[in-house]
Every structure is written in C-alpha cells, then in structure tokens.
Amino acid sequence: MTAQEETPSLLLIYENETLGQIILEYMQRLGFKAQLADPNLSTEIKKSVIDREFDLCLMHLQGRTEQVIDVIHALRELRDIPLFVSTSDMKEVEKTAVLEIYKAGADDVITQPISMEIIAMKISAMLRRCNQQVLPQKLFDIGSLTFDSELQTLSQDGVLVHHLSGKESELLAILMNNCNQLVERGYILRKIWGMDNYFNGRSLSVYINHLRHMLEIEPSVKILSIHGKGYKICIDDEVIHISFREDI
C-alpha cells in the first residue's frame, strides 16, 4: 500500500477531554485514524510517534503557552511530524506567544473561531505535501562499504561483511543521515530507546563501539565522541559520499 492509499493517522493532544472527544469523533467521521492524548506525552504516545504511527499532530492551546511549547519541543526531539496548534480565542493569546509557538516548531497556528471543515482541509493539504516528499533514505554508500538500513547489512564490494542488529542499524542510519554533523546524545536515546537515562546511555556507548569495530575496514570513516554532547560520523575523503538509490 502506498502512502497515498493509507488512511491518514492523527495525534490529537487536548487538555480539555470533552472538546478533544468531539474533535476525535469528527475526524474519525471524516475518515482519519485518530488518537486522543493529554498534553503530558506518555511513554506509549512517545513510542507511537517514534514508530511513525501518526502522520500529523493537532494540539489545542488553552491559555498555557509554556506547556504547549514544552510539548512541541518534546515532539520535535522525537520526530519531525507536521504539527498544528489551535487556540480557543485569539484575544486571549498574545502575538508574542503565537510567535514563540511558531519558533518552537509549529507548522501552523489555527485561531478560533474556525470551522472544523477548514481545519480538516488544512490537515489534508499538509498531508498531501508530505506524501510528495522523497522517500526515507535506506541505502548508503560509504566508500567501499554499502549500508542497507532496511536489510540491516553492511557490505564491501558486494560481499556481506556484517549483519547489524535492529538498534545498530537504527543508530548507523541516524548518524549517516546527519553525516559530518553532531547528533545529540539525548536525541539518539529518545529516538531509539525511548528514554534518556544512565542505563540507556551505557547501552548507547556499547553500540557506538560495535559500529566503530564494523567500520574499521574503511579507514576514512570515523565515529567521533563529542564530550557532553553526542556523536558525529566523519568521512575524510571527499570522494566518499552518501547517496539515495531507488533500486532497493
């Protein structure tokens, strides 16, 4: 099934449960798959966001801008999901607050009163644009090495040299998608393990060492540790590149 054929899935974050239930039922009648959550993102909701179970998030602002911004930051750390924020009454929301919401990462701020039909049209338009984007990268060339994140394999000149575990593959894909750029340790921990804590941090260090060992056969590739910040995969030779292939 293609992205266009799938039923769009919405995450609805509403502090007012009654209002949230009304929006939930309305969106379901329009054909969306929708789930209602409170502003305090639970472990299950976080995992669902990471696992890409939602195509878009609609959040309702009810006078507490700081809380909304905190939730936006939490979502953005997990995944770059399209995010709409609606307000009850523009008169109660200062212009500076709206600007802060946009700066935090909201794609649109919808001010009330506005019909649900218009909100649904905005959501549909955003999802159509998202579906037209390039497919996620799955195959990476690193000099003589080829990393297939879908098959979880690392090959050299067409010969399999390593079969990666699920977490090893996820970690290498994150680093390669940000080649020569710092990836924050907390972001990696939340995205792969779902929580940033001491024990998961120890596991991350072990997996980084696994990847370093696997990549030793390609001397131009290094995984650097930036103390107190995170990791960076560096490629010395300019000829070595990362490319997206359609023949996978």
Side-chain angles (χ1 to χ4, degrees):
M1 179 178 290
T2 65
Q4 286 82 357
E5 293 172 337
E6 294 177 353
T7 302
S9 182
L10 308 180
L11 172 62
L12 307 177
I13 301 181
Y14 277 72
E15 185 177 24
N16 186 318
E17 187 175 350
T18 301
L19 178 58
Q21 192 64 39
I22 293 172
I23 305 301
L24 174 67
E25 294 174 0
Y26 183 86
M27 290 300 178
Q28 289 174 339
R29 288 200 302 272
L30 290 179
F32 293 103
K33 291 188 295 184
Q35 181 172 338
L36 184 62
D38 62 41
N40 301 309
L41 289 173
S42 65
T43 301
E44 292 75 18
I45 293 297
K46 287 181 180 179
K47 184 177 185 304
S48 296
V49 172
I50 294 172
D51 292 344
R52 298 184 175 273
E53 293 181 14
F54 298 108
D55 300 304
L56 184 142
C57 175
L58 175 61
M59 185 191 315
H60 184 68
L61 169 61
Q62 197 164 353
R64 293 196 287 174
T65 308
E66 296 80 7
Q67 183 186 31
V68 173
I69 290 175
D70 287 344
V71 175
I72 292 174
H73 284 155
L75 285 169
R76 284 288 175 253
E77 289 177 352
L78 297 171
R79 182 181 155 210
D80 187 20
I81 184 174
L83 175 59
F84 288 2
V85 176
S86 68
T87 67
S88 298
D89 188 343
M90 191 60 194
K91 294 179 181 178
E92 297 177 3
V93 183
E94 296 181 1
K95 180 180 178 180
T96 54
V98 174
L99 292 174
E100 288 301 317
I101 293 170
Y102 273 118
K103 289 178 182 178
D107 293 289
D108 196 3
V109 178
I110 304 169
T111 58
Q112 303 289 352
I114 188 173
S115 70
M116 284 307 303
E117 289 86 354
I118 293 178
I119 294 178
M121 290 297 291
K122 283 177 172 284
I123 289 173
S124 296
M126 173 65 76
L127 293 177
R128 280 197 303 273
R129 287 196 294 273
C130 291
N131 287 336
Q132 292 170 359
Q133 294 177 355
V134 178
L135 292 173
Q137 190 166 324
K138 297 178 182 178
L139 196 66
F140 303 84
D141 290 336
I142 321 171
S144 62
L145 300 177
T146 300
F147 167 51
D148 190 320
S149 64
E150 189 169 49
L151 298 179
Q152 300 176 192
T153 58
L154 192 65
S155 305
Q156 186 174 46
D157 299 325
V159 178
L160 177 67
V161 291
H162 290 291
H163 194 287
L164 287 70
S165 69
K167 281 188 171 57
E168 289 168 346
S169 184
E170 285 184 79
L171 177 55
L172 185 54
I174 290 173
L175 294 174
M176 294 303 291
N177 275 307
N178 297 276
C179 186
N180 295 317
Q181 299 179 38
L182 171 69
V183 184
E184 292 185 359
R185 184 183 181 89
Y187 170 81
I188 297 173
L189 289 171
R190 286 186 290 269
K191 192 167 182 64
I192 298 180
W193 279 269
M195 187 177 297
D196 180 356
N197 60 34
Y198 172 78
F199 297 103
N200 290 338
R202 292 292 298 272
S203 295
L204 172 57
S205 299
V206 171
Y207 280 96
I208 287 289
N209 287 331
H210 287 176
L211 293 182
R212 283 175 174 150
H213 176 71
M214 294 178 191
L215 295 171
E216 284 179 349
I217 55 177
E218 180 51 77
S220 62
V221 180
K222 299 286 189 252
I223 299 178
L224 304 181
S225 298
I226 313 301
H227 181 69
K229 293 185 179 295
Y231 300 96
K232 178 194 294 187
I233 190 165
C234 294
I235 303 175
D236 297 331
D237 191 342
E238 293 181 357
V239 175
I240 298 175
H241 63 281
I242 303 172
S243 61
F244 174 69
R245 293 182 177 177
E246 296 180 352
D247 57 341
I248 56 177

